[in-house]
């Protein structure tokens, strides 16, 4: 996994032999399950390494050190575990919660967490719109992340309710994000978010046009959000 270790180094991360073994195991299990169930469109080992593992690790650029060392992170719409699980492998002291609506993906997640021997990972089956109203999960997390879930305008409603005031949402995005940010302006404010900040991912990691959109949680999210399942995307704020 030279691309992964080299890319991680460029992100300022050192991957230990044990972590490398966990990434190998994760890749093996993902390839194996993906033959039977459709978990991800990315199926080539080298693509898993780059577009799942390394891409997930770029999020580390925006996670505060104290959170890496024992804070809490929730990944909403994690699919086969991205970006939450590679971050957990890299920062084993961090408490990671994964939210996923599709049952077969949840089964995979439970299996792979076990296969990697990870502790401090909690998997929730269900929709963010419902789970974000549970007292166990609402405004409980230092960092909320989500990749490829929705445009920021809807994403804010699906994710910011999980985030503590003073915490941050980190959303990896590709391409020009200006339009997406402009469209999300009002929704982010309504949900208690601060003005989004864009942090570019250094080009030498995965090529150009990759950025992290950071949204600080400034004030509590009004209790009426998120609205019913499907509404945040159908009728974005
Ligand atoms: N984050 C992963 C998967 C992206 S696909 C990655 O980047 O590879 C989006 C995933 O979110 C799917 O697995 C889908 O089942 C899940 N999802 C979509 N809407 C959701 C919602 N409202 N609540 C929870 N999960 C959701």
């Amino acid at each position: 996994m030279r691309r992964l270790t080299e890319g991680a180094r460029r992100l300022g991360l050192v991957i230990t032999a044990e972590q490398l073994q966990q990434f190998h195991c994760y890749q093996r299990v993902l390839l194996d399950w993906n033959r039977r169930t459709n978990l991800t469109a990315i199926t080539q080992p080298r693509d898993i390494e780059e577009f799942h593992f390394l891409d997930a690790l770029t999020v580390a650029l925006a996670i505060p050190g104290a959170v890496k060392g024992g804070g809490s992170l929730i990944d909403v719409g994690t699919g086969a575990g991205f970006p939450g699980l590679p971050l957990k492998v890299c920062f084993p002291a961090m408490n990671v919660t994964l939210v996923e609506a599709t049952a077969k993906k949840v089964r995979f997640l439970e299996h792979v967490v076990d296969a990697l021997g990870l502790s401090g990972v909690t998997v929730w089956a269900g929709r963010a719109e419902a789970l974000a109203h549970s007292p166990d999960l609402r405004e409980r997390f230092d960092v909320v992340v989500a990749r490829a879930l929705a445009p920021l305008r809807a994403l804010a409603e699906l994710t910011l309710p999980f985030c503590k005031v003073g915490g941050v949402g980190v959303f990896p995005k590709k391409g020009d994000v200006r339009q997406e940010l402009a469209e999300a302006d009002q929704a982010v404010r309504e949900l208690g978010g601060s003005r989004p900040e864009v942090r570019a991912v250094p080009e030498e990691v995965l090529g150009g046009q990759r950025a992290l959109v950071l949204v600080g949680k400034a004030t509590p999210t009004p209790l009426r959000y998120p609205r019913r399942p499907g509404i945040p995307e159908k009728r974005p704020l």
Side-chain angles (χ1 to χ4, degrees):
M1 293 212 177
R2 191 148 310 143
R3 270 179 301 278
L4 176 63
T5 47
E6 179 58 20
R9 197 184 57 75
R10 291 184 172 150
L11 290 166
L13 302 171
V14 178
I15 303 205
T16 66
E18 189 196 347
Q19 288 164 339
L20 205 54
Q21 224 165 34
Q22 288 176 307
F23 279 115
H24 272 295
C25 175
Y26 194 170
Q27 187 182 53
R28 209 165 44 238
V29 175
L30 182 58
L31 286 168
D32 179 38
W33 276 58
N34 216 38
R35 271 193 283 273
R36 286 170 279 137
T37 46
N38 182 24
L39 296 170
T40 166
I42 291 176
T43 54
Q44 293 305 308
R46 86 173 266 170
D47 292 341
I48 291 176
E49 200 183 324
E50 280 193 37
F51 301 120
H52 280 327
F53 297 162
L54 185 56
D55 187 88
L57 295 186
T58 64
V59 174
L61 292 171
I63 302 178
V67 177
K68 292 172 182 165
S72 56
L73 175 145
I74 186 167
D75 181 6
V76 181
T78 188
F82 306 111
L85 272 186
L87 292 167
K88 172 66 186 179
V89 168
C90 257
F91 309 111
M94 190 166 69
N95 292 295
V96 170
T97 298
L98 307 172
V99 168
E100 173 51 47
T102 305
K104 68 179 181 187
K105 293 181 180 174
V106 170
R107 276 194 298 278
F108 167 79
L109 292 167
E110 284 165 345
H111 175 80
V112 80
V113 164
D114 190 52
L116 298 184
L118 296 172
S119 58
V121 180
T122 311
V123 182
W124 288 80
R127 293 197 58 120
E129 294 93 323
L131 292 172
H133 289 285
S134 145
D136 289 340
L137 298 172
R138 191 173 185 89
E139 304 203 320
R140 293 278 185 184
F141 297 88
D142 299 309
V143 174
V144 52
V145 300
R147 187 183 78 164
L149 181 60
L152 186 60
R153 189 170 170 187
L155 189 58
E157 186 171 353
L158 295 173
T159 59
L160 290 182
F162 292 104
C163 192
K164 288 179 189 170
V165 171
V168 65
V170 183
F171 310 113
K173 294 282 177 185
K174 272 187 224 161
D176 188 352
V177 293
R178 279 173 299 186
Q179 175 85 13
E180 189 176 337
L181 253 55
E183 285 169 4
D185 194 56
Q186 194 185 319
V188 167
R189 226 172 315 145
E190 171 75 8
L191 292 154
S194 60
R195 197 188 164 76
E197 177 195 327
V198 180
R199 206 172 285 181
V201 175
E203 215 176 302
E204 64 268 26
V205 178
L206 273 167
Q209 289 274 305
R210 278 165 193 267
L212 302 174
V213 174
L214 276 63
V215 181
K217 181 82 176 256
T219 56
T221 300
L223 283 174
R224 61 183 175 280
Y225 302 123
R227 292 165 292 166
R228 282 177 296 116
I231 304 296
E233 282 169 279
K234 208 185 315 173
R235 287 197 280 115
L237 291 170

